[in-house]
Amino acid sequence: IGALGLILLSVAFWPVLLAGGVPWGLLYALGAAISWALGTVYFKKRPIAADPLAAIAWQVGVGAIVCTLAMLAFETPRFDISEPKRAFALAYHIILPQGLVYIVWFALVDRVPASTAALGTLFILFFGVIGAILILGDWPTPLDVAGLLLTLTAVGGDALWRRNRLRVT
């Protein structure tokens, strides 16, 4: 269900794929998702022996530096945050979805299986869409809404399945 939701959310990239092009934005997003999944599995086996907020700050900070360098090297046109609304949107999308989800992830990864913790990261989509609507006035298309609802259904369905499974055992 979650994968179908992600497929719907990637519809904007389909024309590029069909034309034989490389949808760099989609590749960046998939790379980030794969990195997060690998990190989830790794840190489940070897937890960080540090305060979770300090670990989050370091991870987000190092990630921001790497992303900024990649953006400066590869993005065209260059990123422009001279307009306050754009700067606020960037800050919102870094702090709330990324920071909050990292905090929730660190709390979850100690308590639940890695697969469940990883599904929880799909909430980043929800906060991203809310921010795009409220800050930028960028309303999702019906396919975006369907994709978002499917990903949220996957998270909720997993939580219900695990809760019911625990009651049975």
Side-chain angles (χ1 to χ4, degrees):
I1 292 172
L4 180 59
L6 293 175
I7 288 169
L8 290 180
L9 290 170
S10 70
V11 165
F13 296 104
W14 292 5
V16 176
L17 287 168
L18 293 173
V22 177
W24 290 106
L26 182 59
L27 290 178
Y28 295 154
L30 289 174
I34 290 167
S35 297
W36 192 298
L38 291 172
T40 299
V41 172
Y42 178 80
F43 289 119
K44 185 73 174 175
K45 298 280 185 202
R46 297 178 186 255
I48 296 174
D51 176 64
L53 289 178
I56 291 165
W58 275 103
Q59 289 180 12
V60 171
V62 170
I65 290 168
V66 170
C67 288
T68 300
L69 293 174
M71 176 191 69
L72 292 172
F74 301 112
E75 287 295 316
T76 317
R78 296 291 180 228
F79 187 65
D80 177 17
I81 57 170
S82 59
E83 186 181 329
K85 185 162 82 170
R86 285 186 192 163
F88 180 71
L90 177 65
Y92 166 86
H93 284 91
I94 290 171
I95 294 167
L96 188 63
Q98 294 300 319
L100 180 62
V101 170
Y102 263 110
I103 291 168
V104 170
W105 178 79
F106 270 105
L108 283 176
V109 82
D110 286 337
R111 296 182 179 102
V112 299
S115 59
T116 300
L119 270 176
T121 63
L122 291 173
F123 282 117
I124 292 172
L125 299 170
F126 175 76
F127 288 108
V129 168
I130 297 300
I133 292 169
L134 295 177
I135 299 167
L136 301 174
D138 185 11
W139 287 89
T141 67
L143 276 178
D144 293 335
V145 171
L148 182 64
L149 289 174
L150 284 170
T151 57
L152 293 175
T153 300
V155 173
D158 180 73
L160 287 173
W161 179 77
R162 288 184 190 284
R163 186 182 68 180
N164 289 338
R165 195 178 90 189
L166 288 175
R167 281 188 193 159
V168 173
T169 55

